[in-house]
Amino acid sequence: MICAFVWNSMLLYYLKMTKYAIVISMTKNSEHKFSKRQVEDLLEACLNKTLGEIDKKRVFDRTKANPKITGIAGDVIEQSVFGYDANSDSSPDLNIDGILTELKTTGIRISKRNDEEYEAKEPMSITAVSPNVIIGEEFSDSRFWHKLEHLLLVYYLYASDKTVLAAEYANFLVKGYQFLEFSEDDKRILEQDWLIVRNFIRSLDGNENLYPEISHLRDKLLFIDTAPKWPNKPRFRLKRTVVSNIVQKHFKGSLEQLPKSYSSYDEIDKKCRKIAKLYKNKSVAELMSTFSIEGKIDKGIGERLVVKMFGGTAKKMQDIDLFSKIGLLGKTVVLTEKGKRTEDMKLFRINFEAISNVDEQFEDSVFYDYFAESQILCIVFEEHDSSDFSKNTFLGFKRLSFSEDFIELNVKSVWNRIRDLVIYKELRDIPVLDSNGKQKINKTGIVQSAPNFPKSSEGVIFVRGDSSDSTKKPESVNGISMYRQYIWMKGSCLAQQLDGKDFL
């Protein structure tokens, strides 16, 4: 009892001192006072100018001695636009009309899926995950929420597919800015995510040996993750998918809102179970009639059905605001009547300009982000007639995420192999031979060949070309013409992954 009393007293004292320190820090930052009009005037003057052009304080001079210095874009905005030096305070940066506001200078780039859209260059770092602090916090008073409650985002266009030295940031244009406050629905999601991390750390009871397990919370978190991994001290980050969603809505407009809000994967899973109970064993044709869906019947119909089942009208899940933000992807999975997978799953197209970036680390790559941030909602059907997709019957949903071990073992090696082939000019176009050793010719008379990328015979993650027109090879890599190349997952591996998961 005495020990508990002493511990509680020390904890209360620590929390009071922590809050006092935060108050002092906020008071210090209150010197950075601006009206909203002043902020708008300052940033309007920066639009479509390069960071080098607006660098009145000669911040880029530091890159001469430190060519790989990080955070140079943010330093330019802070020092040359708002007139204050960078600091490590845990409180927001600016006082705008009495509202403490966090300034984030954020890189955007032209989307590889749609060259008329922007996407986030990377996840957005928020604040440190400090176990000794977070165990005594509540969400509304946390350092995490203090950083996110009122945001001022300044966007610059990272106009390069390769990692550049800090000095080259001087050529990047400032493209926009926005004042951002999260909606009540988004705030609830952020709170639930934060509580998952906070409660996990509390459950460890100070056992630092278990801190590395924090990275295993990833498949439970909608908007945030933590990086880097222990023993390096992790920070809270907004996922790249979340930041891209914010960027796209700012520059283009809103995505479709579902009629009901969801603040955790548990709530999404509960909805999936309800849907499955209502429609299990219905054929594709019956479901299309139920939801008044017309048009071509193919594997893409699964996504349209999911959107309809959740009350939306879009054709793709990524056109739904929530699914876009959390990186929840819809994939149709067809099993035979014996429960075996019928075919491999296409995941995403390879961006060869990015993969040839010699300075990029795997953890910063689109490959890693896809497997680490995204989860796949598998819409599972049972096949009854391989020639008629409309006869397939709906079995339910399974949600698939990829562990760090899976990514390290199966994805990283493929990423490295593709990079080596491209960077070191080892890529070759290899004839495709039949069982008699003769080169195959497809139905259009085109002689078949394929690049020597990792094949399905070599691993569960592999590369395969795909095209709607076999007579055209629009992709060119190292002077070799080829079909657009995609990352695939072997069907047998997918079936094995799904076998270990119950239907939602």
Side-chain angles (χ1 to χ4, degrees):
M1 290 289 292
I2 294 175
C3 290
F5 175 78
V6 171
W7 164 248
N8 288 334
S9 298
M10 291 176 65
L11 179 60
L12 286 171
Y13 175 77
Y14 175 77
L15 294 176
K16 286 179 181 178
M17 294 305 295
T18 299
K19 289 183 178 180
Y20 177 73
I22 292 174
V23 169
I24 293 296
S25 179
M26 287 183 176
T27 302
K28 185 163 64 174
N29 277 1
S30 68
E31 298 170 4
H32 310 147
K33 290 184 178 180
F34 299 88
S35 68
K36 186 175 181 180
R37 179 59 183 273
Q38 286 175 316
V39 170
E40 291 172 340
D41 288 345
L42 287 170
L43 292 176
E44 287 288 338
C46 297
L47 295 182
N48 293 315
K49 291 183 179 178
T50 66
L51 290 168
E53 288 174 329
I54 65 176
D55 182 23
K56 308 304 181 187
K57 294 293 182 69
R58 302 180 65 86
V59 176
F60 278 104
D61 286 355
R62 294 164 48 204
T63 66
K64 297 173 182 177
N66 300 287
K68 293 187 177 182
I69 193 171
T70 60
I72 192 71
D75 291 345
V76 170
I77 299 300
E78 290 173 354
Q79 297 175 42
S80 291
V81 178
F82 290 101
Y84 68 90
D85 291 334
N87 60 70
S88 58
D89 287 342
S90 61
S91 60
D93 301 297
L94 303 173
N95 182 327
I96 302 176
D97 290 332
I99 297 173
L100 293 177
T101 303
E102 178 72 5
L103 172 64
K104 290 289 184 184
T105 303
T106 302
I108 60 175
R109 60 189 180 192
I110 296 173
S111 171
K112 298 303 177 185
R113 293 183 301 175
N114 184 345
D115 59 12
E116 295 182 357
E117 291 183 351
Y118 293 126
E119 63 184 14
K121 172 180 174 287
E122 58 196 359
M124 182 184 292
S125 178
I126 303 303
T127 192
V129 181
S130 303
N132 291 333
V133 175
I134 196 173
I135 58 170
E137 290 182 319
E138 298 300 329
F139 178 74
S140 59
D141 294 324
S142 66
R143 294 185 178 189
F144 175 81
W145 181 239
H146 284 154
K147 287 281 192 178
L148 287 176
E149 189 171 10
H150 307 285
L151 289 172
L152 171 59
L153 306 179
V154 179
Y155 299 114
Y156 67 91
L157 181 61
Y158 191 91
S160 175
D161 286 310
K162 299 181 178 181
T163 302
V164 301
L165 295 175
E168 295 182 57
Y169 277 67
N171 300 319
F172 294 158
L173 293 168
V174 176
K175 297 301 295 182
Y177 67 92
Q178 74 174 116
F179 296 92
L180 176 66
E181 293 185 1
F182 290 98
S183 68
E184 286 301 314
D185 287 343
D186 286 351
K187 181 181 175 182
R188 278 193 292 273
I189 292 174
L190 289 165
E191 181 173 8
Q192 289 301 313
D193 281 358
W194 181 86
L195 285 171
I196 288 170
V197 177
R198 195 278 309 269
N199 292 344
F200 169 76
I201 293 175
R202 279 185 174 180
S203 73
L204 301 183
D205 198 25
N207 186 349
E208 294 187 9
N209 292 327
L210 297 177
Y211 283 158
E213 298 295 318
I214 195 173
S215 63
H216 295 167
L217 300 175
R218 179 165 40 83
D219 64 347
K220 297 180 174 66
L221 305 174
L222 293 186
F223 278 12
I224 67 173
D225 64 12
T226 59
K229 302 175 193 174
W230 291 93
N232 299 307
K233 293 181 179 178
R235 295 179 64 82
F236 285 113
R237 306 188 307 177
L238 289 182
K239 293 180 181 180
R240 192 199 301 249
T241 54
V242 175
V243 185
S244 288
N245 178 272
I246 293 169
V247 169
Q248 288 165 7
K249 286 196 290 187
H250 172 68
F251 285 99
K252 187 178 178 182
S254 297
L255 297 174
E256 183 179 345
Q257 304 287 324
L258 292 176
K260 184 182 182 303
S261 62
Y262 302 87
S263 59
S264 68
Y265 272 117
D266 283 343
E267 292 183 5
I268 294 173
D269 292 349
K270 184 177 179 180
K271 175 65 174 178
C272 288
R273 286 192 289 271
K274 184 177 180 180
I275 291 170
K277 187 175 181 180
L278 286 172
Y279 302 110
K280 185 176 180 180
N281 296 324
K282 296 283 188 182
S283 70
V284 171
E286 289 174 319
L287 291 171
M288 289 182 68
S289 176
T290 299
F291 292 101
S292 302
I293 297 176
E294 298 179 354
K296 184 180 178 182
I297 301 177
D298 57 18
K299 290 183 296 182
I301 201 65
E303 267 196 275
R304 294 187 67 183
L305 284 169
V306 171
V307 172
K308 287 282 190 178
M309 289 169 171
F310 272 82
T313 61
K315 293 183 178 181
K316 291 186 175 294
M317 288 177 62
Q318 289 305 289
D319 293 330
I320 300 296
D321 186 54
L322 174 66
F323 298 150
S324 170
K325 275 187 284 202
I326 66 177
L328 186 62
L329 308 172
K331 294 288 185 181
T332 299
V333 175
V334 182
L335 302 176
T336 66
E337 292 178 347
K338 293 183 179 181
K340 300 299 182 182
R341 175 82 176 104
T342 59
E343 57 186 13
D344 302 324
M345 178 182 284
K346 183 166 67 173
L347 298 178
F348 62 93
R349 183 181 170 187
I350 300 172
N351 174 8
F352 286 103
E353 290 181 345
I355 208 165
S356 62
N357 179 1
V358 295
D359 294 319
E360 186 172 63
Q361 300 298 308
F362 176 63
E363 288 74 16
D364 298 324
S365 69
V366 172
F367 273 62
Y368 179 82
D369 274 356
Y370 183 94
F371 287 93
E373 288 196 354
S374 301
Q375 295 200 38
I376 298 176
L377 183 64
C378 296
I379 310 108
V380 185
F381 293 91
E382 184 176 78
E383 183 179 79
H384 302 292
D385 184 343
S386 60
S387 63
D388 190 349
F389 192 88
S390 69
K391 293 181 180 178
N392 293 342
T393 52
F394 176 58
L395 296 181
F397 300 99
K398 292 191 176 187
R399 182 160 55 84
L400 182 64
S401 59
F402 300 98
S403 69
E404 288 289 339
D405 289 342
F406 180 92
I407 296 171
E408 187 70 22
L409 181 64
N410 299 294
V411 181
K412 188 174 183 178
S413 58
V414 172
W415 179 81
N416 277 324
R417 179 60 180 153
I418 298 170
R419 280 165 53 84
D420 287 348
L421 290 172
V422 175
I423 293 171
Y424 299 112
K425 311 298 182 184
E426 297 175 354
L427 193 61
R428 302 289 182 268
D429 195 28
I430 307 298
V432 177
L433 307 179
D434 61 19
S435 58
N436 298 316
K438 293 183 179 181
Q439 191 165 6
K440 287 184 177 181
I441 299 175
N442 64 27
K443 295 178 181 179
T444 58
I446 301 297
V447 176
Q448 293 188 30
S449 62
N452 56 329
F453 290 127
K455 301 289 190 291
S456 60
S457 59
E458 302 171 40
V460 299
I461 301 297
F462 61 95
V463 181
R464 180 188 293 163
D466 196 15
S467 175
S468 58
D469 184 350
S470 63
T471 65
K472 296 180 180 179
K473 294 186 174 183
E475 190 87 72
S476 179
V477 184
N478 290 7
I480 298 173
S481 296
M482 62 187 72
Y483 300 126
R484 293 184 176 90
Q485 302 294 306
Y486 291 84
I487 293 296
W488 294 69
M489 184 176 182
K490 191 180 290 187
S492 57
C493 174
L494 180 61
Q496 184 179 18
Q497 293 271 327
L498 294 177
D499 280 346
K501 293 182 178 293
D502 294 329
F503 279 97
L504 299 177

